[in-house]
Amino acid sequence: MRGGGIRAVSLVATAVLVLGACSGGGDGDADRDGQPAGQTPNAPSPAGADEELPELPAEFTEQELAWEPCGAPTPLQGSGAAPAPGWECADLTVPLDYADPGNGETIDIAVIRARSAGGSGHLGSLVFNFGGPGGSGVATLPRTGDRYAALFEAYDLVSFDPRGVGESAGVVCRSDAEIDASAQEDHGPPRTPAEERAFLTDSREYADACRTRAGDLLPHISTENTARDLDLLRLALGDGRLNYFGISYGTKLGGVYAHLFPDNVGRMVLDAVVDPTRDVVERGLLQTEGFQRALDHYLADCAEQPDCPTGAGGQEGYDVINGLLEELRAEPLPTDTDRQLTRGLAFTALLSALYSEGSWPFLTDALRQALDEGRGDLMLAAAEQYNGRDSQGRYRNVGAANNAVNCGDFASRPATDTVHEHLDEFRAASPVFGETLAWSIMACAHWPVTGEQDQPEVAAPGARPILLLGTTGDPATPLVGAERMRDALGEGVGVLLTYDGEGHGAHSSGDDCVVEAVNAHLLAGSTPDDGTVCP
């Protein structure tokens, strides 16, 4: 094998829907800002749902946001051009430690919004979280705002960088050059005792680097703390209830928020829903099955196109892709840059392209370039976009933030014995992705902070109906996760709409049935019947 040792953190895939009527009942008790008439905004519950916490000082609950025109996203947020005029930015001050909010330690949460001109039909703010964990809402919302034009007629569109992400005390573990070097030395999952030792050494060194650079912050990076920040944001925006649109990891955040603050839940949509009921190993297996399902669908589609590089699909397609990955394990492909396409980067490119059916033609071109021309430019570009590397070689902090949030949330710490115990299950779940994703369950093996449990508390008795969107072909958050979230939220709270299609997220598909159901729920409080299927 060429190059250095196995790179542990590079193995993690960050880290990741019968015709039915799209109509239903409403919540007619809501007035124009999405709260019952006469209700005043409530401060975050001093006790949450399960744990007694001190009351928050007025400096947090009574703060006013100082809005100003937004600058360009920073490298930690993903770089790029400044948002168009009309977008404004501010910082929300929150306690670093909610268990001791008066100790003077605070962090600033970066917030962005575009104000609606909805007039008398104004419903307040609609807050977005686009997932990750580790995605910058400040950078993402202006790029995707056109998708929510109908909602902008009634809502101020708002998003934020969650704590540990982007410009909200963003966690950084390695320099850009160190991340580049790690990616260039990633030749795949370990297969020998020596490679396993190298894998563990790199995992330990990475965790040590995170401890050195962000050790004081890491114990406070968790979904529960971000949910508490979210409620402070609701207060600062002047909303009596939180109207919220969460995607992917944002659905876990939404579920935790609903559990902590059920009385403050307004109109909420959770799309591409994370399964809240499974441990790290079970979630890894579920995602492995999801990506294999998406790959099968891609291979079948490709087989119908002229000159498909993966042949007739099925086992032939697996053999082609696995053959490429094995060749890259021994000999990376050249590109027009000073970086090569390694096995790890090619694996990331495959996963990235399977997130959306719209990326399938690109994947075909990238595979054809690698297989026929012996070049890795297209696959490298896909991997580096997914990893958050900009044109100047600067990385947004999505990888470090993903580790910080997940490792801060999860209690279990699978070891090498756990991987070996389940390796055959992962390989059976996917002959292409199984081996690598089995090793990715060790992403938190040496992390300095441990969560209390793997399963987040999301039961939200008394909360308003929450619309859940699940997609039958979602690779990263399979449909069963939405079904389990519905059950975990509690009877009468979770309402599931299934989109029969491909890709990670139903609303982003643009399907008319899905979009109309979401708009009816958020704009009129008219929620579709549980079990509705689109299109």
Side-chain angles (χ1 to χ4, degrees), residues 336-385:
D336 287 336
T337 72
D338 60 354
R339 297 178 308 285
Q340 297 178 313
L341 178 69
T342 64
R343 196 269 190 195
L345 288 168
F347 187 89
T348 298
L350 285 169
L351 292 184
S352 174
L354 293 175
Y355 269 80
S356 169
E357 187 174 7
S359 298
W360 290 1
F362 176 89
L363 177 57
T364 297
D365 290 341
L367 287 170
R368 186 179 291 119
Q369 182 191 55
L371 292 163
D372 296 345
E373 301 176 27
R375 301 199 58 81
D377 300 271
L378 292 177
M379 295 195 85
L380 178 66
E384 293 191 336
Q385 181 183 40

Side-chain angles (χ1 to χ4, degrees), residues 74-169:
T74 67
L76 287 184
Q77 292 173 316
S79 304
W87 291 96
E88 51 187 3
C89 290
D91 287 332
L92 173 77
T93 301
V94 301
L96 175 65
D97 184 359
Y98 278 95
D100 189 10
N103 68 1
E105 294 184 293
T106 65
I107 56 176
D108 287 339
I109 304 299
V111 183
I112 190 169
R113 77 171 176 185
R115 302 200 70 177
S116 172
S120 60
H122 189 241
L123 295 174
S125 305
L126 179 62
V127 180
F128 291 80
N129 180 282
F130 296 96
S136 166
V138 172
T140 303
L141 183 57
R143 296 200 304 263
T144 59
D146 290 347
R147 187 178 296 165
Y148 310 105
L151 301 174
F152 187 45
E153 293 295 318
Y155 286 105
D156 297 343
L157 302 184
V158 179
S159 193
F160 64 108
D161 290 354
R163 58 170 59 205
V165 175
E167 290 305 309
S168 297

Side-chain angles (χ1 to χ4, degrees), residues 111-113 124-130 141 155-160 229-231 233-235 237 239 241-247 250 253 267-270 522:
V111 183
I112 190 169
R113 77 171 176 185
S125 305
L126 179 62
V127 180
F128 291 80
N129 180 282
F130 296 96
L141 183 57
Y155 286 105
D156 297 343
L157 302 184
V158 179
S159 193
F160 64 108
D229 297 341
L230 192 54
D231 205 58
L233 176 59
R234 173 192 65 81
L235 273 177
L237 293 170
D239 292 329
R241 293 177 182 264
L242 176 72
N243 302 308
Y244 177 80
F245 200 132
I247 302 165
L253 176 59
R267 295 171 182 172
M268 184 176 287
V269 173
L270 306 181
L522 290 174

Side-chain angles (χ1 to χ4, degrees), residues 9 12 14-15 133 173 206 210 398-408 443-444 447:
V9 294
V12 184
T14 53
C173 298
Y206 180 78
C210 294
V398 62
N402 188 279
N403 273 103
V405 175
N406 282 330
C407 298
C444 300
W447 197 254

Side-chain angles (χ1 to χ4, degrees), residues 465-469 486 489 492-497 527-531:
I466 297 172
L467 179 59
L468 311 177
L469 308 180
R486 174 189 57 192
L489 286 168
V493 178
V495 176
L496 177 59
L497 181 151
T527 307
D529 294 331
D530 182 50

Side-chain angles (χ1 to χ4, degrees), residues 251-423:
T251 67
K252 177 181 177 180
L253 176 59
V256 170
Y257 180 91
H259 175 72
L260 292 175
F261 307 103
D263 293 339
N264 293 347
V265 172
R267 295 171 182 172
M268 184 176 287
V269 173
L270 306 181
D271 187 5
V273 183
V274 171
D275 188 339
T277 68
R278 296 296 184 262
D279 65 17
V280 172
V281 174
E282 292 168 329
R283 290 184 190 186
L285 276 168
L286 187 65
Q287 194 169 69
T288 301
E289 293 168 356
F291 277 106
Q292 181 62 39
R293 185 182 307 111
L295 177 63
D296 287 339
H297 294 171
Y298 160 74
L299 292 173
D301 181 80
C302 183
E304 297 178 359
Q305 313 303 322
D307 300 321
C308 172
T310 52
Q315 187 61 51
E316 182 179 353
Y318 307 158
D319 290 343
V320 169
I321 292 174
N322 280 331
L324 173 63
L325 293 176
E326 285 303 302
E327 290 177 8
L328 291 172
R329 191 177 178 101
E331 189 73 30
L333 288 181
T335 71
D336 287 336
T337 72
D338 60 354
R339 297 178 308 285
Q340 297 178 313
L341 178 69
T342 64
R343 196 269 190 195
L345 288 168
F347 187 89
T348 298
L350 285 169
L351 292 184
S352 174
L354 293 175
Y355 269 80
S356 169
E357 187 174 7
S359 298
W360 290 1
F362 176 89
L363 177 57
T364 297
D365 290 341
L367 287 170
R368 186 179 291 119
Q369 182 191 55
L371 292 163
D372 296 345
E373 301 176 27
R375 301 199 58 81
D377 300 271
L378 292 177
M379 295 195 85
L380 178 66
E384 293 191 336
Q385 181 183 40
Y386 186 84
N387 289 335
R389 188 183 194 275
D390 71 12
S391 60
Q392 299 181 50
R394 302 172 301 184
Y395 283 86
R396 60 192 176 110
N397 81 314
V398 62
N402 188 279
N403 273 103
V405 175
N406 282 330
C407 298
D409 279 357
F410 296 154
S412 61
R413 292 291 184 264
T416 53
D417 288 348
T418 313
V419 175
H420 287 296
E421 178 185 350
H422 293 281
L423 194 53

Side-chain angles (χ1 to χ4, degrees), residues 63 131 158 199 207 234 237 284 425 512 514:
Q63 65 183 297
V158 179
F199 175 91
R234 173 192 65 81
L237 293 170
E425 288 180 74
D512 289 342
V514 173

